[in-house]
Amino acid sequence: MKILLGPFSQILPLSGLSLKGTLQDEQLTVIEKGGVVLSQGKIVAIAPYKELLQEHPDCEVAFIDKPMVLLPGFIDCHTHICYDGNRSRDYAMRIAGKSYLEIARAGGGIWDSVTKTRVADLVTLVENTVGRANRHLKEGVTTIEVKSGYGLDFESEVKMLRAIQQASLHTAATLVPTCLAAHMKPRDFSGTEEEYLQWALDELLPMLKAASLTDRVDIFIEETAFSAKAALWYLEKARQQGFAVTVHADQFSAGGAAVAVAAGALSADHLEASSDQEIELLAKSDTVAVVLPGASLGLGMHYAPARRLLNAGASVAIASDWNPGSAPMGDLLIQGAVMSAAEKLSTAEVLAALTYRAAPALQLKDAGQLQPGFAADMQAYPTADFRDILYYQGKMKPAMVWKKGELVQ
């Protein structure tokens, strides 16, 4: 059965645009009074509504009787939504003037979340992940990357990735799992960083691959986490085992983006500390530059240089970094809207960064655009003008959300 949805005041398919570099709003295709034909979870046709009524007379019609703007579903390509507990104490200390290291020494930081997540049972982690994923879905995010990394031992990392796998059965959103066992060297591991990474390569990753729990690996390159040298070696070995790789890069100090490019990573994420050198490397590569404004808001630090990255010719995606420490808000649209004002990003650049430019970071071939053959992952906003969506700084939320053609909101 084919279904015709419409008429929408405007449809922005976000197709036919460049993957890299700057975008102007004038480059956007805007279909006025448009419609979309769906069948078996995919888009069959997209065009002016009256044309589709004539060309597809056999369709069941789902009439849209209010002003609506239709967009592709958002893709959040960097989250940590599988965890237990929160770090509100960390946040209170941070806004009172304590440093990252002072908070860590007081028992906060990543290790606090590791401690809480290790003792949480599988059911709790599944429920937590489903709840956060469904909130994201309600806000138009139809595909969500989810990292482990609050386990940092064999049993707990496997538990997290099993929780993500089971959570995917209880939410309509697509969850893309990533192993971040290399989030930091755990405090209860007595060896060197190289020995810990060797343990992950020898013991953990083969089991994850055999159990089909993930085919993606991430590592945090930073003075408080892993060195660039050790990370490059780890990523190359992980790729040899058949894993796609991504990197937490240049958050507080530069060096990670160069490793991401050298390792052929799908994305380099954070980039707050990236200099002109790192920007040039990313612009010349196929590695997606993923900026995380939520972490900048949570830590009270400057944003990643999204404007300079785009001007240099890089592909820039915006993700939420939803996590219990630095980015607990988890509202992708608010973050994109706030960053657009701070970094002077056009509406086209922000919408691209939330949709089709985020897709390659997750190796998605049929998401992020509204065009025939793509998944019918869509969202509709209660307005007649697409510019209102960022104008209201994320306060306007979608009134309707579809996942694979099914109305879920």
Side-chain angles (χ1 to χ4, degrees), residues 332-351:
L332 184 58
L333 182 57
I334 286 178
Q335 293 175 25
V338 169
M339 191 179 207
S340 69
E343 283 288 302
K344 300 299 182 284
L345 308 180
S346 70
T347 300
E349 288 166 339
V350 173
L351 295 180

Side-chain angles (χ1 to χ4, degrees), residues 5 38 172 376 378 399-409:
L5 292 175
L38 313 178
M378 310 180 299
M400 306 174 82
V401 179
W402 295 263
K403 180 65 185 179
K404 296 180 180 177
E406 295 291 326
L407 187 64
V408 295
Q409 159 67 8

Side-chain angles (χ1 to χ4, degrees), residues 165-361:
Q165 184 183 63
Q166 291 188 25
S168 70
L169 304 176
H170 300 283
T171 177
T174 296
L175 305 186
V176 179
T178 301
C179 176
L180 182 57
H183 203 177
M184 62 178 285
K185 183 172 78 71
R187 294 182 181 179
D188 53 5
F189 186 88
S190 59
T192 64
E193 66 170 359
E194 291 85 358
E195 289 170 335
Y196 176 73
L197 294 174
Q198 188 69 64
W199 164 81
L201 289 164
D202 291 345
E203 304 293 333
L204 180 62
L205 297 192
M207 182 273 174
L208 299 179
K209 176 67 74 171
S212 299
L213 287 174
T214 183
D215 58 4
R216 292 167 46 86
V217 163
D218 193 355
I219 188 168
F220 187 15
I221 301 174
E222 196 51 70
E223 293 173 12
T224 55
F226 294 93
S227 68
K229 181 180 178 182
L232 181 58
W233 167 80
Y234 174 71
L235 293 171
E236 289 174 341
K237 292 293 185 183
R239 286 193 68 179
Q240 290 171 16
Q241 292 190 25
F243 289 89
V245 301
T246 184
V247 178
H248 277 61
D250 298 359
Q251 183 174 12
F252 302 111
S253 59
V259 172
V261 172
L266 295 174
S267 68
D269 305 19
H270 272 294
L271 308 176
E272 293 91 337
S274 296
S275 69
D276 289 344
Q277 181 180 349
E278 286 76 38
I279 290 170
E280 188 71 16
L281 281 172
L282 289 165
K284 291 180 177 178
S285 76
D286 292 326
T287 298
V288 179
V290 179
V291 298
L292 306 172
S296 297
L297 290 167
L299 295 173
M301 63 185 292
H302 59 272
Y303 294 101
R307 179 74 273 149
R308 287 159 57 210
L309 282 158
L310 287 165
N311 289 349
S315 180
V316 173
I318 298 173
S320 74
D321 196 20
W322 192 349
N323 73 70
S326 60
M329 179 213 298
D331 191 309
L332 184 58
L333 182 57
I334 286 178
Q335 293 175 25
V338 169
M339 191 179 207
S340 69
E343 283 288 302
K344 300 299 182 284
L345 308 180
S346 70
T347 300
E349 288 166 339
V350 173
L351 295 180
L354 297 174
T355 57
Y356 78 90
R357 286 184 169 177

